[in-house]
Amino acid sequence: MSTEVLAIIISAIGVVLTITASLFAAGAWMVRRIDDRIDAVDEKLSTRIDAVSETLTARIDAVSGTLTDRIDAVSETLTTRIDAVAADVTDLKVAVARLEGPPRHLLTARR
């Protein structure tokens, strides 16, 4: 092998190694940059999700309190109305029993 061929081979190996190292460094740089951007987006989304979660929790708690109050009011109203209907039904039963009782005789026959 001549010196020129040996120099060309060594130069080719050097060029291949340089290109390979450059591509590897560029890939590592891109991966690191993508990771940084993903971390930034993740932090931003986490902050927004936490804010929305707190807002919704507060709204649900407010609605829950209001609904509980309304349910209690409706329950009291219905209980009162059911008790009134029960009293009316009892009065009606007594009235019907008086109407359907045995007939009274004006004259009683004694033997």
Side-chain angles (χ1 to χ4, degrees):
M1 278 210 294
S2 70
T3 314
E4 290 110 9
V5 173
L6 190 57
I8 291 172
I9 291 175
I10 291 174
S11 295
I13 291 173
V15 167
V16 168
L17 287 176
T18 302
I19 291 173
T20 303
S22 298
L23 288 175
F24 180 75
W29 175 77
M30 285 190 307
V31 168
R32 186 174 56 239
R33 184 167 173 156
I34 289 171
D35 284 345
D36 291 343
R37 291 184 107 185
I38 288 174
D39 290 341
V41 168
D42 186 32
E43 184 177 331
K44 185 177 179 181
L45 285 177
S46 294
T47 304
R48 289 180 73 182
I49 288 171
D50 291 342
V52 168
S53 175
E54 290 174 10
T55 304
L56 288 177
T57 301
R59 288 179 70 183
I60 288 171
D61 290 343
V63 169
S64 176
T66 303
L67 287 177
T68 303
D69 295 341
R70 285 185 181 177
I71 289 171
D72 291 342
V74 168
S75 176
E76 290 175 16
T77 304
L78 288 176
T79 301
T80 305
R81 290 179 74 182
I82 289 171
D83 291 342
V85 168
D88 288 344
V89 168
T90 303
D91 292 341
L92 287 174
K93 285 181 181 179
V94 170
V96 168
R98 286 182 184 158
L99 290 175
E100 293 178 355
R104 295 187 184 199
H105 301 287
L106 295 175
L107 298 172
T108 56
R110 288 191 180 176
R111 292 189 193 164

